[in-house]
Amino acid sequence: VMRRNPFGMDICCRKGSRSPLQELYNPTQVSLSNTAVLHQIRRDQVTDTCRANSVSSRKRRVLTPNDLKHLVVDEDHEMIYCYVPKVACTNWKRVMMVLTGRGKYSDPMEIPANEAHVSSNLKTLNQYSIPEINHRLKNYMKFLFVREPFERLVSAYRNKFTQKYNTSFHKRYGTKIVRRQRKNATQEALRKGDDVKFEEFVAYLIDPHTQREEPFNEHWQTVYSLCHPCHIHYDLIGKYETLEEDSNYVLQLAGVGNYLKFPTYAKSTRTTDEMTTEFFQNISSLHQTQLYEVYKLDFLMFNYSVPSYLKLE
């Protein structure tokens, strides 16, 4: 069977070549089987956490199409990727554009970052009919990438509130946060919302009013709420801490590992553990405790220990 591979060259595929799902659960290569064990442990951790927290995690039994808008579908390789902002999602979207572009793109890093976030460039699961959704959830390999929750949160804060160019975030969220959390705010701060302090951001997140008002923005929403791991069985859980290995493992399972490698680059601006520790220095132990409660399921589900810098009450 001739199948055009996504990198613009014709390769001959044996008829009935294995899907990523088959390759994951019944690996034919030894190198893949060792890694399979690690991912089984990660899957079990999610299952156990969902079971242990069934009261809070099973409240909504039925997912709506709106719940599926973060799940990107790759028909050619039978994969579904749930993207989580601040966990290498720009690069994963670029890779998905290469995989689904039918030869239109060959190098993920040649795709401009803003183009990777144009929704029409990738197809998401909520665009399918219910029977089509169910078929794909059952037969495609589903994966996501996670990150230490507070490191991800600090990364989101730094990106959205300390960069001068993010004026839409300053207007939409910054002004609201300043209005609610800052006593004696200046007129300029209320108008611009471009100088939100991390302490104010945390106070906004734990404020019950915020939770009632609208869902969190996707950049600081929990992975649990974005990807619904208690309702959708993810076959593979990649981690930001082992991004390269886990990403290339996904590409190997998809049968494209020889042509496509996950983009790597040394980011000097990357949010680190040390940096996160520093940001939390000025947060009161009460607020730390309340914030941990908001993200607790993400910590437990993806096996992240309580950070040593936290002073929980």
Side-chain angles (χ1 to χ4, degrees):
V1 180
M2 290 298 287
R3 194 178 79 192
R4 193 163 178 79
N5 105 310
F7 313 102
M9 50 190 118
D10 286 309
I11 49 167
C12 185
C13 305
R14 62 187 185 280
K15 196 169 173 62
S17 63
R18 290 157 62 83
S19 73
L21 205 56
Q22 293 168 318
E23 199 55 66
L24 173 66
Y25 290 106
N26 298 297
T28 46
Q29 300 170 42
V30 178
S31 62
L32 293 181
S33 57
N34 300 339
T35 317
V37 177
L38 167 74
H39 288 280
Q40 180 62 57
I41 294 167
R42 290 182 186 173
R43 281 195 297 276
D44 291 345
Q45 177 76 22
V46 171
T47 308
D48 294 346
T49 307
C50 290
R51 207 171 284 138
N53 296 275
S54 56
V55 184
S56 52
S57 61
R58 290 280 178 187
K59 250 184 240 162
R60 300 218 334 271
R61 292 199 166 277
V62 182
L63 294 177
T64 65
N66 197 40
D67 293 321
L68 306 174
K69 61 178 190 285
H70 272 250
L71 280 81
V72 175
V73 182
D74 172 2
E75 294 289 352
D76 294 354
H77 304 91
E78 303 193 344
M79 298 197 299
I80 295 174
Y81 160 59
C82 184
Y83 69 90
V84 178
K86 306 313 297 173
V87 193
C89 94
T90 305
N91 277 352
W92 256 112
K93 283 181 175 181
R94 285 169 162 145
V95 169
M96 292 301 274
M97 283 172 70
V98 173
L99 289 172
T100 59
R102 310 260 168 125
K104 194 172 160 190
Y105 312 96
S106 59
D107 178 2
M109 292 318 278
E110 279 176 8
I111 301 171
N114 57 342
E115 205 177 310
H117 296 293
V118 173
S119 55
S120 57
N121 282 332
L122 291 166
K123 195 159 187 194
T124 48
L125 197 57
N126 58 337
Q127 296 169 318
Y128 292 83
S129 69
I130 304 283
E132 288 172 332
I133 289 171
N134 289 332
H135 170 78
R136 280 156 186 75
L137 284 175
K138 189 170 161 217
N139 297 292
Y140 287 15
M141 184 178 85
K142 300 164 295 299
F143 68 97
L144 79 164
F145 276 77
V146 298
R147 182 178 186 177
E148 202 280 337
F150 285 169
E151 198 179 288
R152 177 176 164 244
L153 191 65
V154 168
S155 176
Y157 165 78
R158 289 178 66 217
N159 179 252
K160 300 303 170 199
F161 295 107
T162 69
Q163 304 291 341
K164 290 295 172 213
Y165 59 80
N166 265 321
T167 45
S168 61
F169 266 82
H170 303 156
K171 282 266 186 290
R172 166 108 206 257
Y173 296 99
T175 52
K176 190 187 289 184
I177 294 171
V178 169
R179 192 173 67 244
R180 267 200 225 154
Q181 308 300 338
R182 190 179 301 176
K183 291 184 177 72
N184 313 321
T186 64
Q187 284 307 307
E188 190 186 16
L190 289 164
R191 192 180 81 251
K192 286 187 168 175
D194 64 351
D195 65 343
V196 170
K197 296 183 182 72
F198 186 64
E199 299 87 287
E200 294 170 329
F201 178 52
V202 168
Y204 162 78
L205 294 174
I206 58 179
D207 182 350
H209 186 75
T210 306
Q211 313 249 3
R212 283 194 301 270
E213 189 177 55
E214 58 179 348
F216 276 2
N217 176 278
E218 59 175 23
H219 290 85
W220 48 86
Q221 179 61 283
T222 60
V223 176
Y224 164 73
S225 302
L226 287 176
C227 296
H228 314 284
C230 289
H231 298 82
I232 293 171
H233 173 80
Y234 286 93
D235 303 290
L236 206 135
I237 295 145
K239 292 200 161 190
Y240 192 72
E241 294 75 15
T242 47
L243 179 62
E244 251 176 274
E245 304 94 287
D246 293 347
S247 297
N248 288 321
Y249 178 54
V250 172
L251 298 174
Q252 262 183 295
L253 292 170
V256 298
N258 298 341
Y259 315 94
L260 184 59
K261 291 279 175 275
F262 192 77
T264 57
Y265 54 100
K267 276 287 283 279
S268 54
T269 57
R270 229 199 83 178
T271 301
T272 60
D273 184 47
E274 293 77 40
M275 215 179 269
T276 306
T277 306
E278 225 162 281
F279 272 90
F280 273 85
Q281 298 273 284
N282 299 329
I283 307 296
S284 72
S285 56
L286 174 64
H287 280 188
Q288 288 186 5
T289 305
Q290 291 171 311
L291 191 69
Y292 178 76
E293 280 304 316
V294 173
Y295 292 93
K296 187 177 174 180
L297 278 177
D298 280 6
F299 275 101
L300 297 173
M301 206 168 270
F302 307 116
N303 206 18
Y304 288 107
S305 49
V306 177
S308 56
Y309 56 77
L310 285 192
K311 307 177 286 286
L312 298 183
E313 292 201 337

